[in-house]
Amino acid sequence: MQRDELELDLPPVFEIGEKVRVRKLLKNDGTFPGQEIGAVLAKKGDIGYVASIGTYLQSSYIYAVHFLNTGFVVGCKKKELESVEETNESNAPRK
């Protein structure tokens, strides 16, 4: 995406209910209530689910990700997330 191209001109990359992984450490920048500024909200590799999709400054999507291990719902940018493919938990062959 070029600098002058709006992310909102395209459909969201992630869907509501999609399982995602955080690509970097996320800290409270002062917009997360009940936690001190600088408190860790999600660590690199944490798994969550997209709960809702909003917009930021009429230019990009913000994905509200629910992290089940902490209960936090954190707003994330596209570049902070990656999709997690559902894998078969069992190594047994399918019949």
Side-chain angles (χ1 to χ4, degrees):
M1 183 168 73
Q2 295 178 357
R3 215 178 243 294
D4 59 347
E5 186 178 0
L6 293 177
E7 185 178 336
L8 297 182
D9 288 342
L10 304 170
V13 173
F14 306 105
E15 298 178 7
I16 292 174
E18 187 170 347
K19 188 176 185 179
V20 292
R21 178 182 299 116
V22 177
R23 298 177 66 186
K24 62 181 236 168
L25 181 70
L26 300 178
K27 294 183 178 183
N28 185 13
D29 60 1
T31 59
F32 192 92
Q35 296 291 317
E36 295 290 324
I37 293 175
V40 174
L41 301 176
K43 297 176 185 164
K44 182 177 180 179
D46 282 355
I47 303 288
Y49 294 86
V50 177
S52 65
I53 303 169
T55 60
Y56 177 69
L57 296 178
Q58 300 177 353
S59 65
S60 60
Y61 291 108
I62 294 293
Y63 301 91
V65 178
H66 184 199
F67 296 98
L68 300 179
N69 60 331
T70 61
F72 292 162
V73 177
V74 181
C76 301
K77 298 175 187 173
K78 174 179 72 172
K79 68 181 180 180
E80 297 170 329
L81 301 171
E82 62 187 7
S83 184
V84 175
E85 298 260 342
E86 293 290 337
T87 57
N88 187 359
E89 296 295 326
S90 170
N91 290 330
R94 290 186 179 179
K95 294 182 180 183

